[in-house]
């Protein structure tokens, strides 16, 4: 929930979805000891608050099951005024301070020992590397942190994360080492993916709460329908589809300078630099050329809609996920010229085909007059009117049309509202649902409105936001 004193519409502290913090699976939140004080508060209310009726709608059940997807109780928002922090007395504080001074004096006396115990620490906290080997090796090196001469356990080191939210997720290096549960889930994915015929239903079930970074590329190819479930057919399928895509390039790309295609290409050329302008990866000329080819070929092969602004955003999650298959470093700052031409061609072709599969299910969002978006916005309005009539009536009272704010939510699939790393995590779930990018997306949009219902109800001047 937002802070009680927050009065600005759509604005929150670091608890805002997409804030710089790991994103965990909605169905299985982490057991974080930092949340125990919240559990105590909830338990204290049990005797005073009557139980709710179990006649809740399916949407409310969905909202309760996913309310923790973006919120793990970061240290930065810990309530230091709570009773749990007021029990520290002066004697304990003085004793702790004396211990810290004594430790520092020992460090000055024995610099060699201090140097040896701290030499390995920086490697543990680089916001780089993402392979499973790097994660597992960190478990053994963490023993140096337990040495009291190096760092007090009450003040754990936290990796520095830039203002632009990282593309990588909680399994990348910058986040804590993999838990036992995460290792178990990763092994489960690897078993599914390596079986002769992958059980797609089981893969969707496992992917709903999030896909581990290490296996996300092949999982997305399978869930999007780009790769067959049979492992023996995958290599030939990839080879054939990649050759087919570059056949389209040879056949159609030169026509971008022809008169009847100039407007399409010009609009694509204008929109590409606007795609995630704060992430250096997408400002590289080579990456922008790849995006131009993908979008132009898609527009030529889909004349019913052609290119529409917003489609350019839908390429980026696929491009980043498939790039991460070849890059162990921080993806957002990686120079793609370091990759071979064959690797870049594979990433480009796979991004094109998976984006095409996605758009096949929502193409009416981009045809003339965009009827798909009109229907989805209307469906969102009806959904909100049923699950939260107070919010719905508040919009009507102040003459706020759903189309004013929800059009972009449907056109860009919330990509302008969330950092890219959160979009990638969200798409794990979307691709696990039968109609994730159309039907399920409505429930996510409705969940946004319910999440910030207090701010909405407090707001009277919507035009200034």
């Amino acid at each position: 929930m937002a802070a009680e004193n927050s009065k600005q519409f759509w604005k929150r502290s670091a608890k805002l979805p997409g804030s710089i913090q790991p994103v965990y699976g909605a169905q299985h939140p982490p057991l974080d000891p930092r949340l125990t004080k919240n559990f105590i508060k909830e338990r204290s209310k049990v005797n005073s608050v009557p139980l709710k009726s179990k006649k809740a709608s399916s949407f409310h059940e969905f909202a309760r099951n996913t309310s923790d997807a973006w919120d793990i109780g970061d240290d930065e928002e810990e309530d230091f005024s709570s009773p749990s922090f007021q029990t520290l007395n002066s004697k304990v504080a003085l004793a702790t301070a004396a211990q810290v001074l004594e430790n520092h004096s020992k460090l000055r006396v024995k610099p060699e020992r201090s140097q040896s115990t701290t030499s390995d620490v920086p490697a543990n906290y680089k916001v780089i590397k993402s392979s499973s080997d790097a994660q597992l090796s960190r478990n053994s090196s963490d023993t140096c942190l337990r040495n009291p001469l190096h760092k007090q356990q009450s003040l754990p080191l936290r990796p520095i994360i830039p203002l632009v939210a990282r593309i990588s997720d909680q399994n990348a290096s910058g986040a804590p080492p993999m838990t036992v549960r995460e290792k178990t889930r990763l092994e489960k994915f690897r078993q599914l993916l390596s079986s002769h015929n992958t059980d797609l239903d089981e893969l969707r079930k496992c992917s709903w709460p999030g896909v581990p970074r290490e296996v996300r590329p092949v999982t997305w190819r399978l869930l999007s329908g780009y790769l067959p479930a049979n492992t023996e057919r995958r290599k030939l399928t990839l080879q054939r589809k990649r050759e087919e895509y570059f056949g389209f390039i040879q056949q159609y790309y030169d026509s971008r300078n022809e008169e009847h295609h100039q407007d399409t290409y010009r609009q694509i050329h204008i929109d590409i630099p606007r795609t995630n302008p704060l992430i250096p990866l997408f400002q590289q000329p080579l990456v922008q050329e790849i995006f131009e080819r993908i979008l132009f070929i898609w527009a030529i092969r889909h004349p019913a809609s052609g290119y529409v602004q917003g489609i350019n955003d839908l390429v980026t999650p696929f491009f980043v996920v498939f790039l991460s298959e070849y890059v162990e470093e921080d993806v957002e700052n990686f120079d793609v010229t370091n990759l071979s031409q064959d690797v870049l061609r594979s990433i480009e072709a796979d991004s094109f085909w998976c984006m095409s599969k996605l758009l096949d299910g929502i193409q009416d969002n981009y045809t003339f007059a965009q009827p798909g978006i009109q229907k989805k916005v209307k469906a969102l309005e009806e959904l909100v009117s049923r699950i939260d009539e107070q919010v719905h009536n508040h919009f009507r009272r102040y003459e706020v049309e759903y189309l004013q704010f929800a059009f972009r939510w449907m056109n860009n699939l919330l990509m302008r509202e969330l950092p890219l790393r959160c979009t990638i995590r969200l798409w794990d779930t979307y691709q696990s649902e039968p109609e994730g990018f159309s039907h399920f997306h409505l429930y996510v949009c409705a969940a946004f409105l319910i999440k910030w219902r207090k701010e909405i109800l407090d707001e009277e001047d919507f035009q200034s936001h």
Side-chain angles (χ1 to χ4, degrees):
M1 295 295 291
E4 291 297 325
N5 60 353
S6 175
K7 298 296 181 183
Q8 294 185 351
F9 185 60
W10 299 122
K11 293 183 180 179
R12 299 187 67 202
S13 63
K15 293 292 186 181
L16 179 66
S19 60
I20 304 171
Q21 54 180 293
V23 180
Y24 290 84
Q27 292 183 330
H28 305 283
L31 295 177
D32 195 333
R34 294 171 292 180
L35 298 179
T36 53
K37 69 184 186 68
N38 294 330
F39 295 151
I40 294 173
K41 291 180 181 178
E42 291 297 327
R43 291 183 62 183
S44 65
K45 298 178 182 178
V46 172
N47 296 328
S48 60
V49 180
L51 293 176
K52 286 188 176 181
S53 170
K54 292 187 178 181
K55 296 181 179 179
S57 66
S58 59
F59 175 84
H60 286 294
E61 293 174 359
F62 161 78
R64 285 196 299 272
N65 290 336
T66 58
S67 61
D68 61 348
W70 311 99
D71 183 2
I72 64 166
D74 204 338
D75 283 341
E76 295 173 356
E77 294 200 359
E78 200 70 69
D79 184 7
F80 291 98
S81 64
S82 64
S84 61
F85 285 95
Q86 292 175 355
T87 58
L88 184 67
N89 58 43
S90 58
K91 291 183 179 180
V92 175
L94 290 173
T96 303
Q99 182 64 37
V100 171
L101 293 174
E102 181 182 352
N103 290 339
H104 279 285
S105 64
K106 291 179 180 179
L107 287 174
R108 293 194 181 100
V109 173
K110 299 179 180 180
E112 296 84 358
R113 184 178 180 184
S114 174
Q115 185 175 1
S116 64
T117 57
T118 58
S119 60
D120 295 332
V121 173
N124 293 332
Y125 290 94
K126 289 183 181 178
V127 192
I128 302 178
K129 293 290 181 186
S130 59
S131 64
S132 57
D133 293 339
Q135 294 293 343
L136 296 174
S137 65
R138 211 180 302 146
N139 292 337
S140 59
S141 61
D142 280 346
T143 56
C144 67
L145 297 181
R146 301 191 184 99
N147 191 327
L149 297 180
H150 170 63
K151 192 75 174 179
Q152 294 293 315
Q153 287 188 353
S154 60
L155 297 173
L157 286 176
R158 293 172 61 88
I160 299 175
I161 304 180
L163 292 177
V164 179
R166 303 217 72 80
I167 293 175
S168 54
D169 66 2
Q170 72 268 23
N171 290 335
S173 121
M178 293 177 69
T179 64
V180 173
R181 178 179 171 273
E182 288 171 340
K183 292 176 184 177
T184 303
R185 291 191 71 243
L186 179 59
E187 184 60 30
K188 172 69 172 177
F189 271 93
R190 285 176 170 160
Q191 289 177 1
L192 277 171
L193 297 172
S194 61
S195 60
H196 182 68
N197 284 292
T198 299
D199 186 342
L200 294 181
D201 289 335
E202 185 65 22
L203 184 62
R204 292 187 185 96
K205 181 180 178 181
C206 292
S207 300
W208 205 98
V211 181
R213 183 184 191 271
E214 294 83 353
V215 294
R216 183 174 276 138
V218 64
T219 301
W220 277 28
R221 292 188 188 103
L222 285 165
L223 294 179
S224 65
Y226 174 44
L227 271 188
N230 186 288
T231 53
E232 295 178 355
R233 296 173 49 205
R234 289 177 191 171
K235 185 176 181 180
L236 290 176
T237 300
L238 283 177
Q239 182 180 350
R240 175 174 56 84
K241 297 299 286 185
R242 289 166 179 172
E243 290 176 354
E244 184 179 356
Y245 168 73
F246 284 100
F248 295 151
I249 296 291
Q250 294 179 352
Q251 184 176 358
Y252 298 117
Y253 195 59
D254 288 340
S255 66
R256 67 189 184 279
N257 297 318
E258 297 176 3
E259 184 176 356
H260 57 292
H261 290 153
Q262 280 184 352
D263 290 342
T264 297
Y265 180 73
R266 185 183 302 113
Q267 188 61 58
I268 292 173
H269 190 72
I270 292 172
D271 288 347
I272 293 300
R274 301 172 181 170
T275 305
N276 292 288
L278 297 179
I279 298 179
L281 172 68
F282 300 113
Q283 301 310 307
Q284 299 178 39
L286 186 54
V287 173
Q288 294 185 357
E289 290 173 10
I290 289 173
F291 277 40
E292 284 184 0
R293 287 194 294 269
I294 290 174
L295 294 171
F296 183 77
I297 296 302
W298 188 88
I300 294 298
R301 298 189 69 246
H302 297 82
S305 61
Y307 172 76
V308 177
Q309 285 180 302
I311 295 179
N312 56 304
D313 288 326
L314 306 184
V315 185
T316 55
F318 293 113
F319 183 82
V320 167
V321 167
F322 298 141
L323 176 63
S324 68
E325 192 171 20
Y326 303 95
V327 177
E328 294 183 350
E329 302 174 22
D330 173 22
V331 177
E332 68 183 34
N333 294 302
F334 181 76
D335 183 1
V336 297
T337 59
N338 294 325
L339 295 175
S340 68
Q341 187 67 25
D342 289 341
V343 167
L344 287 173
R345 286 168 63 91
S346 298
I347 295 171
E348 178 177 347
D350 292 355
S351 300
F352 169 81
W353 286 115
C354 287
M355 185 198 73
S356 298
K357 293 286 187 181
L358 185 161
L359 289 171
D360 286 346
I362 58 172
Q363 190 173 354
D364 59 345
N365 284 10
Y366 306 104
T367 54
F368 178 73
Q370 297 181 276
I373 291 181
Q374 304 282 347
K375 293 176 182 177
K376 290 180 177 65
V377 171
K378 185 64 177 176
L380 176 63
E381 181 177 356
E382 293 176 356
L383 178 61
V384 174
S385 69
R386 294 199 307 271
I387 62 177
D388 199 327
E389 188 176 3
Q390 191 176 2
V391 168
H392 177 70
N393 290 336
H394 189 73
F395 283 144
R396 294 183 63 183
R397 183 180 302 116
Y398 291 97
E399 299 181 345
V400 177
E401 297 291 337
Y402 282 75
L403 201 63
Q404 291 178 255
F405 60 85
F407 179 87
R408 191 170 79 171
W409 294 5
M410 306 302 172
N411 191 62
N412 302 89
L413 297 177
L414 291 173
M415 289 194 61
R416 300 291 177 90
E417 279 62 43
L418 299 173
L420 185 53
R421 71 181 181 92
C422 294
T423 298
I424 291 172
R425 165 60 189 89
L426 187 61
W427 282 22
D428 288 342
T429 302
Y430 278 9
Q431 295 193 88
S432 305
E433 289 284 330
E435 297 180 354
F437 292 97
S438 54
H439 183 73
F440 186 79
H441 179 66
L442 295 178
Y443 286 84
V444 175
C445 293
F448 268 60
L449 293 174
I450 305 308
K451 179 71 174 179
W452 286 284
R453 70 183 309 275
K454 182 183 182 299
E455 288 84 351
I456 294 173
L457 296 175
D458 288 344
E459 187 60 51
E460 297 179 359
D461 181 15
F462 291 93
Q463 301 304 320
S464 62
H465 297 281

